[in-house]
């Protein structure tokens, strides 16, 4: 076998090793994704509508909480000793 042929086989072996490693690393993620997709395909219209409504309610609640936080930023800063407020 020539030197070029050995180098080609070595590169192929490295690629196969990397692919096998990545397959093992991602096997659980792929399995979970398949289960999720199959579960979503089996759901009825009512279940999908209920899930969408729950998601919208959660988003609305998060938006309301975000609005509450902005009110705190607009409140005057508590400074009982009247110290100068600067960049420090």
């Amino acid at each position: 076998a020539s030197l070029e042929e050995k180098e080609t086989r070595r590169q192929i072996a490295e690629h196969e090793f990397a692919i096998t490693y990545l397959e093992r690393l991602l096997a659980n993620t792929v399995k979970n994704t398949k289960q999720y997709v199959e579960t979503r395909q089996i759901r009825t219209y009512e279940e999908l509508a209920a899930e969408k409504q729950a998601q919208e309610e959660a988003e609305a609640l998060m938006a309301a909480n975000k609005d509450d936080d902005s009110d705190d930023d607009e409140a005057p800063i508590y400074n009982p000793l009247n110290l100068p407020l600067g960049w420090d």
Side-chain angles (χ1 to χ4, degrees):
S2 69
L3 184 60
E4 290 178 11
E5 195 174 298
K6 286 182 181 179
E7 181 64 25
T8 303
R9 287 183 182 177
R10 185 182 69 75
Q11 288 177 350
I12 291 172
E14 286 178 356
H15 290 353
E16 287 176 352
F17 175 78
I19 291 169
T20 303
Y21 176 74
L22 290 173
E23 188 275 330
R24 287 181 184 162
L25 200 67
L26 296 173
N28 196 28
T29 303
V30 170
K31 184 185 86 175
N32 290 340
T33 302
K34 283 182 180 179
Q35 286 178 335
Y36 178 74
V37 169
E38 289 171 357
T39 303
R40 289 201 44 104
Q41 289 176 343
I42 293 173
R43 290 184 185 165
T44 64
Y45 175 77
E46 290 80 16
E47 291 172 330
L48 292 173
E51 180 183 356
K52 185 176 181 181
Q53 182 179 2
Q55 185 178 14
E56 290 173 352
E57 290 173 359
E59 289 173 356
L61 183 61
M62 289 175 57
N65 287 341
K66 186 177 182 182
D67 291 342
D68 291 343
D69 292 342
S70 65
D71 293 341
D72 295 336
D73 294 338
E74 297 170 4
I77 299 173
Y78 179 70
N79 188 4
L81 301 177
N82 293 324
L83 297 172
L85 301 175
W87 289 97
D88 48 286

